[in-house]
Amino acid sequence: MENKGHSKLKASGQHYLNFFITPAAAKKIVEQPKVLKFKNQTSIQKKILGEVTLINIINDYFNKLIKKDFTDAQIIIYQKGNKYSLIYSLNSGTSMINAEKFNKMFNSVKRSKSKVFDKEKLLSTNLKSLGPIIAIEFDSLNCQLLFTASRSEFFAPLSGESDTFNSLSIEFHKNIIKAFVLENNILKLNIIKTSMLTGNTPFKIKDSSSTLWMEKKLGPQDNSNPSQFYLKENFILTIFNISLSELNPNLFHHERISLLGELLNTLRHELSNPLFGIQLYLSLWNESVENIEHKELLGHALQCVSKCNNIILNLDTLFKSDSPREEIDIKKFLDDILTVAKSEIRNIPTNIIIKNIENVAIKTHGLSLFHILFNFIINAAQSIKQTNDPTRKNEIEISVTINERNIKIDVADSGLGINPGDISKISSPFYSTKTTGHGIGLNICKMLAEKMGGSISFKNRESEPGAIFSLYLNL
Amino acid sequence: MKILIIEDELLIQKSLKIFLEKNNFIVIATASGKEAIELIYSEDFDKILCDLMLQDISGFDIIEESKKKYLPEELKKKFIIMSAYSSSQIMEKIKDYGFPFIRKPFSGLTDVINIILNS
């Protein structure tokens, strides 16, 4: 096993950022909280923006305005979807205003033809320009920007002065957005990283006005021993009860799961629109078709689309612990899994046998169950593939045993079995003997099973080659 | 009744067009926000079915541009928003404008007609 979690995160569709942390580094952070500075952020910035940071760009812009005799200026940046926008001010540093206020200001600038404002009319007390101010707005995919400037005079700026301001703002706005989005992504990344680092530790992230941005509660909260860290942009992270025992390999799963959650969300948005197009076209066609056979097939196709839609809609709930428990008919459920799994393993000649399935319904988290069994089946098929022996029977046998208290689902394969030396490693994070796969291994299955109140186990078969992976769930 | 469909997923756009034409609406469709604005300026539509996430500009930009031609009250009766995104902020914004909203994906095509006729 490689001792690091190395991941790629697509942050807001903008840049790919790399980060990794070794268990030793994580341990150091917990022992010496002061090193929680996320050292690699500057190097990421340098890679994309050269030596330039957002503050550098803004200062450069302000300096150019000062040379043109402006005495005050503000840049207000609002990243769409956020609750707050940030104000960078020439004379009074940075501050925040809420999104609603920003929207009002932005829209009044957008609607104005002269772009000259009386400061009191346009702005609330948050902006400290004196006299008439000029403004310009920019709207990009991710951000809205307002630039304002004034000369602390009681006369409105002349048109030539406005032109200077406008052309400077136009020149700078793209780089400001670029740097802002990048730095924000790094901030987000840091929050995710922090949540990863703390593993099973409850924590809160608040901003300087005590608004709660992120909280992780684990059962009844014991708020003793809080440790506070200052993150970028005045965010304060409070971690409770931090202890070294929590630095177990599990923390990598939190990282992987939050990354996966983000990826799945992107995927969901990318898939749902074309699927909806297919659905609309099929239903349209379905109305006009008269041939019974075609109508039946179209109905079937529509059902498939809606199945896909359901999977997509539920993708992210897989990674939330509060996903609803539902009544699941095991036999039907296994059929569904096999439909999906068979297409995934179509290149591996396998024979899947289902044994002893009674009609039993259990109440549990369907997607977690789906995920675990799907992984078992894929693993079994890949193990068979590794034997590379066409004379073997290549069988995957699925069986269900029910007793009073619990249900056991076994997935047995005729593959190579587990190498005794690997048994202790097999459910470790990132342990894999495969070059392809889902990237989330047995350890995730184990975690999901525990979340469902069950467990998983695995062993080699006694009388023949191959392994058995079992899932136990309470009835 | 003349309808403008602004939708950049062509399969959705064309299917809606065929469906509405079958139901005796006159339909013009476009995938481009900028073209939509030109169409709104140059022609008169009874209803505008507008997606929010387009390739070039956003549905909200189209609405803002349409204010040059229509009064807010008229606007309210023209636009119907279709979107797969229904974050609270977007919903809030749509509510402020007072537009009917269709969340994608939707299952009943006839519901679309009801919304067009009743809004």
Side-chain angles (χ1 to χ4, degrees):
Chain A
M1 172 191 160
E2 222 177 43
N3 265 344
K4 68 177 182 183
H6 189 169
S7 302
K8 270 188 173 180
L9 167 68
K10 192 181 183 189
S12 308
Q14 289 297 303
H15 309 284
Y16 282 92
L17 305 174
N18 284 304
F19 70 89
F20 64 87
I21 180 130
T22 61
K27 190 165 171 269
K28 201 172 154 199
I29 285 166
V30 177
E31 283 169 348
Q32 298 172 287
K34 279 179 191 159
V35 303
L36 196 73
K37 278 185 197 153
F38 308 124
K39 281 182 189 160
N40 55 341
Q41 70 197 40
T42 25
S43 63
I44 295 166
Q45 248 162 355
K46 277 181 191 164
K47 233 186 236 170
I48 300 171
L49 285 173
E51 295 291 331
V52 185
T53 64
L54 177 62
I55 290 298
N56 285 344
I57 300 172
I58 288 176
N59 284 338
D60 195 11
Y61 168 79
F62 283 160
N63 286 334
K64 288 201 168 146
L65 282 179
I66 292 169
K67 276 186 196 152
K68 298 285 173 187
D69 295 331
F70 286 95
T71 54
D72 199 11
Q74 268 98 23
I75 298 171
I76 315 174
I77 309 177
Y78 173 64
Q79 190 171 26
K80 290 174 187 173
N82 282 356
K83 285 182 185 163
Y84 287 90
S85 57
L86 287 165
I87 304 174
Y88 297 87
S89 174
L90 174 57
N91 295 319
S92 45
T94 51
S95 54
M96 288 187 190
I97 52 166
N98 70 32
E100 202 182 315
K101 268 187 190 164
F102 174 82
N103 265 330
K104 273 186 193 158
M105 279 161 49
F106 186 86
N107 285 329
S108 45
V109 174
K110 198 171 178 180
R111 279 191 217 111
S112 159
K113 275 192 183 143
S114 66
K115 308 274 179 194
V116 178
F117 301 86
D118 185 273
K119 83 160 185 200
E120 275 163 21
K121 267 189 192 160
L122 174 68
L123 314 163
S124 52
T125 49
N126 281 298
L127 288 190
K128 290 162 185 135
S129 296
L130 288 168
I133 54 173
I134 44 177
I136 185 168
E137 89 286 350
F138 298 95
D139 201 346
S140 82
L141 194 65
N142 298 310
C143 290
Q144 290 178 322
L145 252 73
L146 264 185
F147 291 64
T148 69
S150 72
R151 304 193 141 169
S152 308
E153 283 171 357
F154 290 100
F155 303 104
L158 302 168
S159 72
E161 296 164 344
S162 289
D163 289 348
T164 313
F165 165 74
N166 286 345
S167 59
L168 266 177
S169 306
I170 290 166
E171 181 192 329
F172 274 84
H173 84 280
K174 279 193 180 152
N175 273 340
I176 289 177
I177 293 176
K178 199 169 154 193
F180 179 80
V181 169
L182 180 67
E183 294 196 6
N184 251 285
N185 286 343
I186 292 169
L187 173 69
K188 260 192 226 157
L189 194 70
N190 287 341
I191 292 177
I192 290 170
K193 197 166 166 185
T194 310
S195 92
M196 173 200 82
L197 278 177
T198 54
N200 289 322
T201 309
F203 69 87
K204 284 177 183 168
I205 292 175
K206 289 182 175 180
D207 62 23
S208 51
S209 60
S210 290
T211 306
L212 188 65
W213 285 67
M214 200 169 171
E215 183 174 23
K216 187 162 169 196
K217 274 189 176 175
L218 291 156
Q221 188 115 341
D222 171 13
N223 285 354
S224 56
N225 298 327
S227 319
Q228 288 203 328
F229 307 100
Y230 288 87
L231 305 178
K232 278 190 62 168
E233 308 283 3
N234 298 328
F235 283 94
I236 301 157
L237 163 73
T238 312
I239 299 177
F240 303 99
N241 291 330
I242 200 157
S243 80
L244 280 180
S245 63
E246 269 133 18
L247 278 180
N248 60 34
N250 257 338
L251 50 86
F252 296 112
H253 298 137
H254 291 267
E255 173 212 24
R256 289 208 113 179
I257 279 190
S258 43
L259 294 174
L260 204 61
E262 288 220 359
L263 279 178
L264 288 177
N265 247 336
T266 315
L267 195 68
R268 191 178 81 177
H269 282 131
E270 292 300 318
L271 288 178
S272 60
N273 235 15
L275 256 182
F276 178 51
I278 296 170
Q279 180 200 325
L280 273 188
Y281 181 62
L282 288 178
S283 38
L284 201 65
W285 198 10
N286 198 22
E287 274 177 23
S288 55
V289 152
E290 285 180 2
N291 179 317
I292 293 174
E293 202 181 344
H294 284 192
K295 217 175 169 69
E296 211 173 285
L297 279 175
L298 278 169
H300 191 70
L302 274 166
Q303 271 177 10
C304 289
V305 171
S306 96
K307 212 180 217 172
C308 294
N309 262 328
N310 279 335
I311 293 175
I312 290 168
L313 275 175
N314 288 325
L315 273 178
D316 55 345
T317 58
L318 175 58
F319 296 93
K320 289 180 190 158
S321 52
D322 52 358
S323 65
R325 287 155 75 94
E326 52 195 307
E327 189 89 7
I328 283 161
D329 176 338
I330 288 290
K331 191 173 185 307
K332 199 179 158 294
F333 196 76
L334 271 173
D335 282 343
D336 284 351
I337 295 175
L338 283 182
T339 315
V340 185
K342 272 180 185 159
S343 106
E344 182 80 16
I345 56 176
R346 60 187 176 278
N347 299 325
I348 307 170
T350 44
N351 194 7
I352 300 180
I353 304 165
I354 300 185
K355 269 185 167 178
N356 308 331
I357 299 259
E358 292 173 49
N359 256 335
V360 61
I362 55 168
K363 202 164 184 175
T364 190
H365 305 287
L367 275 159
S368 299
L369 183 63
F370 189 99
H371 189 87
I372 295 169
L373 294 177
F374 182 78
N375 258 274
F376 280 6
I377 295 167
I378 302 295
N379 282 343
Q382 282 167 343
S383 170
I384 286 171
K385 190 183 178 186
Q386 284 177 334
T387 62
N388 213 359
D389 178 359
T391 62
R392 287 168 88 124
K393 57 180 179 174
N394 291 352
E395 255 173 24
I396 299 175
E397 200 178 286
I398 302 171
S399 57
V400 180
T401 325
I402 301 159
N403 64 32
E404 276 170 17
R405 284 205 196 142
N406 57 30
I407 174 168
K408 182 172 91 141
I409 305 171
D410 288 330
V411 177
D413 63 64
S414 57
L416 290 174
I418 309 160
N419 184 340
D422 288 341
I423 283 196
S424 62
K425 286 190 271 178
I426 197 164
S427 67
S428 303
F430 309 122
Y431 174 80
S432 180
T433 55
K434 297 171 297 205
T435 48
T436 57
H438 276 239
I440 34 177
L442 271 177
N443 208 274
I444 295 283
C445 292
K446 192 173 137 200
M447 203 183 68
L448 287 174
E450 281 163 9
K451 222 157 67 178
M452 294 158 76
S455 62
I456 63 170
S457 74
F458 42 85
K459 59 180 182 194
N460 280 326
R461 296 173 95 162
E462 280 161 17
S463 50
E464 51 195 310
I468 306 176
F469 286 82
S470 312
L471 169 69
Y472 298 84
L473 291 173
N474 294 329
L475 274 178
Chain B
M1 206 179 211
K2 195 167 161 189
I3 294 176
L4 173 65
I5 298 176
I6 312 164
E7 164 67 62
D8 61 351
E9 174 58 56
L10 288 183
L11 202 51
I12 299 178
Q13 185 210 91
K14 287 184 176 165
S15 300
L16 271 175
K17 185 170 189 280
I18 294 171
F19 172 73
L20 291 174
E21 280 170 348
K22 263 189 181 171
N23 286 278
N24 304 318
F25 292 94
I26 301 160
V27 183
I28 293 179
T30 176
S32 142
K34 285 179 183 149
E35 193 182 293
I37 292 169
E38 278 166 27
L39 282 165
I40 292 169
Y41 285 161
S42 60
E43 298 191 32
D44 280 316
F45 296 97
D46 297 294
K47 295 285 171 192
I48 300 165
L49 271 174
C50 182
D51 183 24
L52 285 183
M53 290 297 213
L54 300 164
Q55 300 293 333
D56 52 352
I57 53 175
S58 92
F60 288 123
D61 296 326
I62 300 174
I63 293 161
E64 283 300 317
E65 285 296 320
S66 308
K67 283 183 177 166
K68 291 181 186 159
K69 181 168 175 181
Y70 296 111
L71 293 168
E73 279 310 304
E74 292 174 297
L75 215 61
K76 227 187 247 184
K77 289 176 196 151
K78 296 271 175 216
F79 274 86
I80 298 168
I81 307 295
M82 297 187 287
S83 180
Y85 292 80
S86 51
S87 75
S88 56
Q89 262 191 337
I90 287 178
M91 293 311 292
E92 193 79 0
K93 212 166 170 182
I94 294 168
K95 219 172 98 189
D96 284 350
Y97 281 114
F99 299 134
F101 175 73
I102 305 173
R103 193 184 186 287
K104 289 192 288 185
F106 49 84
S107 50
L109 270 168
T110 41
D111 294 349
V112 178
I113 294 188
N114 288 334
I115 292 173
I116 291 172
L117 295 177
N118 297 329
S119 65

